[in-house]
Amino acid sequence: MNKKLVLKLAFSGILATLSVTSAWSYTLLSPRRTWDSPPTFIIDNRGHASVGDSDRGVTRTVNALRSPVGWNSAGCGTLLNAVAGSMLTFRLGDGIPMINFRDPFGACSGSCIVATFTGYYARRTDGTYRITDADMVTNPNHDLASAGEAVCSSEIFVESLFQHEVGHALGLGHSTVAGATMYPAIPACSASLVSIEEDDRNAVRALYGCS
């Protein structure tokens, strides 16, 4: 069973534009942008209230993002790291990418599950763009789960959800390839998207200039 992933790619509150790359089935955010160095994502150490494992999905999310079959396996070296931490200093645009299991701004309501703020970037002297921050807020009114729970009915696993969202934070848009991590639908009760697929790798390689 697939659940449609309803999300916002926020550009200071406005949806970001996507640019289609015709050679493959992925898209990249426009303008094309990358991090100067691998970001460390701070994962909300409070966890998500609806996740029923031992720490409400914190460790599972951290481990998914650091997974050797995740984004760091694309062939571009280490693209990111992840650690658990406090949200007391959570602030958009401060250069510290955070995944907040709450939504202090009310940016993600109704059918939205998570909002990713991708609008923080700056122009380099060579005309390319660097990402300066990328935060996420989570709608507390949607139930989530993790692979560490004994029972799952129709919830989305945090492992798959935030692997997908971090793809946007790295500069990727959506893929039209079903089963790709960046495909805009996530299977319920599945951590399958923790392992990125070939279309995801192609997108990362094209964006970060590696092979």
Side-chain angles (χ1 to χ4, degrees):
M1 172 182 176
N2 281 357
K3 275 195 171 182
K4 184 178 181 182
L5 176 65
V6 181
L7 53 87
K8 294 180 181 177
L9 298 180
F11 175 77
S12 299
I14 302 172
L15 296 183
T17 304
L18 299 182
S19 174
V20 176
T21 305
S22 59
W24 305 99
S25 298
Y26 58 80
T27 60
L28 305 176
L29 298 185
S30 179
R32 185 178 177 129
R33 64 198 82 153
T34 57
W35 292 88
D36 280 343
S37 58
T40 295
F41 288 86
I42 311 299
I43 314 304
D44 189 346
N45 60 13
R46 299 169 296 181
H48 193 280
S50 67
V51 178
D53 64 26
S54 61
D55 62 0
R56 297 183 173 180
V58 178
T59 299
R60 294 273 176 173
T61 301
V62 169
N63 289 345
L65 298 184
R66 297 174 64 177
S67 168
V69 296
W71 295 112
N72 290 334
S73 73
C76 295
T78 299
L79 287 174
L80 65 102
N81 198 359
V83 297
S86 171
M87 294 291 111
L88 289 177
T89 60
F90 182 78
R91 190 178 67 196
L92 298 179
D94 64 357
I96 305 171
M98 294 184 170
I99 296 177
N100 196 331
F101 287 125
R102 312 290 193 276
D103 181 9
F105 313 118
C108 187
S109 59
S111 60
C112 172
I113 299 172
V114 59
T116 298
F117 294 86
T118 61
Y120 293 96
Y121 55 91
R123 193 180 182 115
R124 299 183 179 101
T125 56
D126 65 359
T128 62
Y129 290 87
R130 70 164 57 87
I131 301 170
T132 58
D133 198 12
D135 298 301
M136 300 166 209
V137 297
T138 312
N139 188 342
N141 296 318
H142 281 279
D143 287 343
L144 300 176
S146 83
E149 297 184 50
V151 177
C152 175
S153 54
S154 60
E155 299 91 350
I156 291 175
F157 279 176
V158 290
E159 296 95 327
S160 290
L161 177 63
F162 290 107
Q163 194 77 291
H164 176 101
E165 290 305 300
V166 163
H168 291 310
L170 291 173
L172 277 59
H174 284 140
S175 169
T176 60
V177 176
T181 294
M182 295 313 297
Y183 188 72
I186 292 182
C189 303
S190 172
S192 62
L193 299 190
V194 170
S195 175
I196 67 169
E197 303 302 324
E198 192 60 25
D199 196 63
D200 305 308
R201 294 188 190 93
N202 288 333
V204 167
R205 292 165 185 165
L207 184 58
Y208 283 87
C210 56
S211 58

